[in-house]
Amino acid sequence: MSANRIAPLFGAPFGRLLRRYREAAGLTQEALAQRAGLSARGISDLERGARQSPHRETIELLAGALDLPPHKRALLLAAARPQTAAGIARGAVASAAPPNNLPARLAPLIGREAEARQAAEALARPETRLLTLTGPGGVGKSSLALRIAADTLERYDDGAYLASLAALTDAALVPQAIAAVVGLRVSAAGSLLAQLIAALRERRTLLILDNFEHLLTAAPLLSDLLTDCPRLTALVTSREPLKIAGEREIAVAPLDADAAIILFTERARAARPDFSPSPHERETIATICARVDHLPLAIELAAGWVRVLPPPELLARLERPLHLLAHGRRDAPPRQRTLRDAIAWSEQLLDPVERRLFQRISVFAGGWTLDAAEAICGADPAQKADMSVLDGLARLVEKSLVQVEPSPVGPRFSMLATVREYARERLAESGELEEMARRHAEYVAQLTADLGWIGPRQDERDQRIERELANIRAALAWALAREEPVIGLRLATPMGRWWYSRGAFDESEHWLRALLALDRAAGERAAPLGLRISALFALTLLALDRRNYVDGEALANEGLALARAEGDEARAGNMLAELGHVAEARGDLDGAMDYFEQGLAAYARAGGRGEGAAVGRTLSSLGNLARAQGQYARAREYLERALDWARARDFSFAVASALVSLGHVAVEQGALTDAQARYREALALYRTLLNPASLAWLLEGVAITFQSAGDAARRGDLEVVARLAGAVAGLRARAGAGESAEWAPFAAARAVAEDALGASAYRAAHDWGEALPPERAVEYALARLEGAAAAGDP
C-alpha cells in the first residue's frame, strides 16, 4: 500500500475511526472500556469528539483492547496526532501496512472501474469467501485481480498474497505454491494442507490465485482450506469457474468502445510519446479495437505498432490479427506475450473431443444456433457417445472460448473474432476445413431456401435472415471461391428478395452477377434452369430499380425464354411483369398494361405453384399504372388486392409498398386524412426495412400532405415540407437511384415551401433533412404525422 492511498485516512477524526474499529470488533462502549481499563464515559467522549487529543498511553490501551494490527495502530495514532501524519506516511505507515507481496503497478488499469467496484462490494460481504474472475485469455483478469487486491488490502489485517500458478504443471503443487507466498515453513511432520490450515485458520488474509484454469483438480483442496480457515478469502482468476461450494463468479468481458480507445492511445504514447491522434484517426483506432474484439492484450499489442505504422495502415494490416500481434512484452508470462499464446493456452486445456468441436465451430461467422452446430459439427463417428454438441458447447462456454446469448428464439453462440481465427487455423491444420466449410455452405443454402419463401410469419423469417447474414456471406464467398454455382445460386437467389427489400442493391448484384457468370461457364455442373431463371429475375429487379432498362430488358427476355422452354408459368409471369415495367418506363402505357395482364394470366395458369413476390408487385404495378392514367377506382381495386395478398403472407415490404401507393391515390384525390393514415402504417414498417429508394417514394407523399394541410402559409408545416424534401434527396443519393421522374404534386409542394420560406430558410431546412440517416428520417416523418393526427389535421 502506498502512502498516497493511506494519507486520506489520516484526515478521519479520531472518534470516528475508534468507533469503526470498535464496531468491527463487535464490542459495545462498555465492553471496550472494561477491556481497556477505561471508563465508558471516556470512550463515549472520544467517539463523540468531546475529547479530541487523547494521551498516547490511552491510544495504546485502546489499540491493545481492540487487538489492532500494526498498520491500524499507526492509523489510530495518526488520527489523534494529525501533525505527525506526514511523518508517519513517510516512515511508519509503509512498514505498518498489511503484509503483502503485491507487485507495484507500472501502468494504470483502464476501463475496469465497474468490475473493480463490483468485486470490492462482493468481498465486503461476509458470505463471499471465494470470488472467481472468469473470462477469455487476454481480457485482463490478472491485472484486474491485482487492482482489486490493492483496493481492498486494508481489510485484511494479516495481508494479501499473490500466487501465480501459470507455471505449475501439476495440481498437487498448488499447496506448495500457497505455502511459499504466505511464508509458511513446511515441516516434514503432517500433511502440507494441514499445516496450511493451522497457519491460516486465525488469519484475516486475502489469497490471490492467478491462472487456476489448468489446475482445476486442486479446487477441492481450496474448498477445504476455506472451510477450515473462516477468516481466509480467495480471489481467483480462471478461464472457467472452479465449481465448488460458495464460489461467486464475475465474468470479465472485453472493454467497452470508449475504454478501448483510451487504452490504445495510452499504450501508443508509451511507444511513441508524440502520438496525438486526430479525430479521424480516433475513428480508425475505434475500428482497430473492434477488429481485435476490444481485448486489452490485443489492444496493447496493436498499439505498439504505432512506432512504425500510422493507425490507417495498421488497420489495413489487421485482416489477420494473430499474425500481426505476435510480439509482446518480454517481461510478460509466456501465455500473455502474444495473442496467439493466450488462445493456445486455453486450447491446450481442452480434451480431444472438446478440441475437435472448438475447431469445427470456427466455420461459423457472426454466431450460430444449437441446431446449426448439431447439423454441421455433430455428425462424427469419433464423437463420444456421452458428449453431445450441446454438452461440448456448454463446456466451451465455461472455458470462455465461446459466448452464449439467450434470446426468445433460443440461445445463440459466438466466438471472438481473434479466437475464431486461431480455431480456423487449427481446423485447416487438422485437414477438416474444406469438409466443414462445405457442410456449412450446404446447411446455410438450405436455411435460406427455408427462409426465403413468402408467406405467413414472413417478418420472423426475415429477422432470422438478419441474424444469419454473416454466415450467408461466408457461404457465398466459399461457393464463389470454390466455383460451386449451384450452392452459390441457391444462396443468392432467395436472398435477392431480402436484399432488394432493404435497398442493398450493390451487394445483391455483386453475388448474382458473379454466380450467374460462373454458372454459364459451368457446363455439366451448371444449376438447374429453374434456379437460373430465378436468379435472372432477381437481377432484373435490380437493373430496373436503377433505371438500367436496356440491361433489365435483356435479362427479362433471357429469363422469359428459359421459362417458356421449361413450361414454367410462374417464372414466365415474373419476367412478363418486369417487361411491363420496361414498357412503362419508356412511356408505352398500353404495352405495359398488356405485359402486366399477361403476367397475371401466367400466374393463374400456374395455379399458385411457385408463386413469388412478383404477384403482389404486378398487382401494385397495375394499380400505379391506373393511377398514372387517372383511373383511381381501378387503381384502388388493384392496390387493395395487392395489399390483401401481402397481408396474407405477412410480407412487410409488399404491405408497405401497397400502402404507399394507396396513400398516393388518396393524395391525388384530395383525401389527405386517408393518405396520412396509410403513410403512418407504412412508416411503422419502414422502421425495420429502411429501403432508401422506397422510403424516398413514401416521404414524397408525406411532404405533400403537409403543404396542403390547413392554411398553406403555416410556416411550421412548410418547414416540414422542406425537411422532407431534403430527406428524399438524401435517400435517393444513398440508393444510387439518381434523379426520379418528378411527381407533379411533390414538385408543387416544394415550390410552395421555397416561395413561402425564402431561399435561405428553405435551403437550411432542406440541408437538415438531407443529412438524416434513413432511421432518423422515418422517426421524423412518423412523429410529424402522429402530431398532425393528434391535432386533427389536415
Side-chain angles (χ1 to χ4, degrees), residues 284-441:
T284 303
I285 290 169
T287 306
I288 289 170
C289 293
R291 184 71 57 83
V292 297
D293 302 310
H294 294 126
L295 283 173
L297 173 61
I299 292 169
E300 294 190 11
L301 293 171
W305 280 99
V306 300
R307 292 187 185 92
V308 292
L309 295 175
E313 190 169 344
L314 173 59
L315 176 60
R317 292 174 178 271
L318 269 177
E319 190 63 34
R320 300 184 66 189
L322 293 184
H323 287 264
L324 188 66
L325 308 182
H327 302 286
R329 298 188 348 252
R330 291 188 179 91
D331 63 340
R335 68 188 186 285
Q336 293 179 348
R337 287 178 188 164
T338 74
L339 193 56
R340 187 185 300 279
D341 292 335
I343 302 169
W345 171 269
S346 290
E347 192 208 16
Q348 290 167 12
L349 304 179
L350 304 178
D351 68 33
V353 178
E354 292 169 341
R355 186 174 296 118
R356 186 181 301 112
L357 180 61
F358 168 67
Q359 294 168 5
R360 287 181 170 186
I361 56 178
S362 68
V363 297
F364 292 105
W368 65 91
T369 64
L370 176 59
D371 288 345
E374 289 176 334
I376 296 168
C377 306
D380 182 3
Q383 193 85 14
K384 282 184 180 178
D386 62 348
M387 180 177 157
S388 66
V389 170
L390 176 58
D391 293 331
L393 287 173
R395 295 187 196 182
L396 294 176
V397 168
E398 286 182 350
K399 296 173 188 295
S400 303
L401 287 168
V402 168
Q403 288 73 50
V404 60
E405 181 180 349
S407 77
V409 295
R412 187 166 185 84
F413 301 89
S414 62
M415 299 172 87
L416 297 175
T418 47
V419 175
R420 177 177 179 258
E421 181 191 347
Y422 175 88
R424 195 172 178 86
E425 288 180 359
R426 299 285 286 122
L427 183 63
E429 291 169 10
S430 76
E432 283 197 318
L433 177 58
E434 280 305 306
E435 173 61 23
M436 289 298 110
R438 179 175 292 279
R439 286 192 200 179
H440 176 265

Side-chain angles (χ1 to χ4, degrees), residues 718-743:
L718 295 176
E719 184 178 55
V720 172
V721 174
R723 288 183 169 188
L724 290 174
V728 168
L731 288 163
R732 289 227 162 89
R734 283 175 180 267
E739 291 297 322
S740 66
E742 192 82 299
W743 186 23

